[in-house]
């Protein structure tokens, strides 16, 4: 879900995918022309479900622990500017706009109070269905070696189908 920037110093980026049924943590590192990906922990239910059904504090505690597990996963401290939390269809489709905004604000403030010092409120956001589809398309083609790390095609591209818990994205190259 993140655009990775090549750098002479390889560092980890943590991304939490907050889907409709659960939250999944991934760690990414751009190392030269290679992307290293580690799949981290999961938590259930999804952020928005726990936030609405239980209470905001429990949802924030769950997110804080998931992020701390990311630092343990990569066996390194994480630059707080390299943490992204991205919500998808469950939040987009099942919460009103004001509820979405309040939840994201509460999570940002709550993580700060738990020692996870995100630098900007935009590190926690909801991605559009279009962006969700584009990420799936790019990920599928990168993993199949159809595009390079600059997202330039090197072979015939493949389509992607993402069946989420609350949304579906279908992408393909238009002929």
């Amino acid at each position: 879900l993140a655009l990775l920037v090549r750098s002479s110093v390889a560092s980890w980026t943590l991304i939490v995918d907050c889907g409709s049924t659960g939250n999944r943590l991934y760690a990414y590192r751009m190392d030269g022309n290679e992307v290293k990906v580690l799949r981290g922990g999961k938590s259930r239910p999804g952020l928005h479900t726990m936030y609405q059904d239980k209470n905001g504090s429990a949802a924030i505690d769950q997110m804080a622990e998931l992020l701390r597990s990311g630092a343990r996963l990569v066996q390194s401290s994480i630059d707080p500017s390299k943490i992204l939390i991205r919500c998808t269809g469950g939040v987009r489709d099942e919460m009103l706009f004001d509820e979405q905004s309040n939840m994201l604000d509460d999570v940002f403030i709550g993580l700060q109070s738990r020692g996870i010092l995100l630098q900007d409120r935009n590190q926690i956001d909801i991605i559009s269905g279009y962006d969700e589809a584009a990420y799936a398309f790019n990920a599928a083609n990168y993993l199949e070696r159809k595009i390079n790390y600059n997202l330039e095609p090197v072979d015939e591209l493949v389509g992607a189908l993402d069946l989420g818990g609350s949304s579906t994205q279908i992408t393909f190259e238009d002929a």
Side-chain angles (χ1 to χ4, degrees):
L1 292 172
L3 296 176
L4 299 174
V5 179
R6 286 185 18 179
S7 163
S8 60
V9 178
S11 62
W12 290 98
T13 297
L14 295 183
I15 300 176
V16 179
D17 173 0
C18 298
S20 58
T21 61
N23 311 300
R24 289 155 297 284
L25 177 109
Y26 300 91
Y28 295 86
R29 183 174 74 192
M30 192 73 183
D31 211 355
N33 292 342
E34 293 296 315
V35 178
K36 183 167 184 167
V37 180
L38 298 177
R39 187 179 213 152
K42 296 187 237 184
S43 63
R44 288 183 176 255
L47 176 65
H48 72 288
T49 302
M50 179 170 270
Y51 184 85
Q52 290 178 311
D53 292 352
K54 300 203 179 200
N55 65 58
S57 183
I60 296 164
D61 287 342
Q62 181 187 59
M63 184 59 59
E65 181 48 39
L66 195 56
L67 291 169
R68 286 186 191 101
S69 77
R72 291 189 300 270
L73 175 70
V74 300
Q75 300 177 350
S76 173
S77 62
I78 302 295
D79 175 350
S81 70
K82 301 235 178 191
I83 296 173
L84 297 173
I85 300 170
R86 294 295 183 255
C87 302
T88 58
V91 174
R92 228 179 17 246
D93 301 337
E94 298 174 21
M95 295 180 83
L96 299 173
F97 179 78
D98 286 347
E99 294 172 325
Q100 295 171 6
S101 185
N102 289 339
M103 180 189 74
L104 298 177
D105 289 344
D106 287 351
V107 170
F108 178 76
I109 292 165
L111 289 174
Q112 299 279 15
S113 71
R114 288 159 177 82
I116 298 175
L117 304 176
L118 301 179
Q119 295 182 340
D120 190 288
R121 163 56 180 77
N122 291 325
Q123 289 176 257
I124 305 173
D125 208 356
I126 301 164
I127 64 170
S128 70
Y130 180 87
D131 286 346
E132 195 172 350
Y135 288 130
F137 183 77
N138 288 334
N141 281 285
Y142 181 81
L143 292 171
E144 290 294 319
R145 301 188 193 298
K146 305 293 184 177
I147 59 176
N148 63 21
Y149 63 91
N150 283 325
L151 305 180
E152 299 165 336
V154 294
D155 200 352
E156 187 174 338
L157 301 177
V158 298
L161 172 64
D162 179 0
L163 298 171
S166 185
S167 65
T168 299
Q169 291 76 37
I170 303 169
T171 54
F172 55 91
E173 183 177 29
D174 193 9

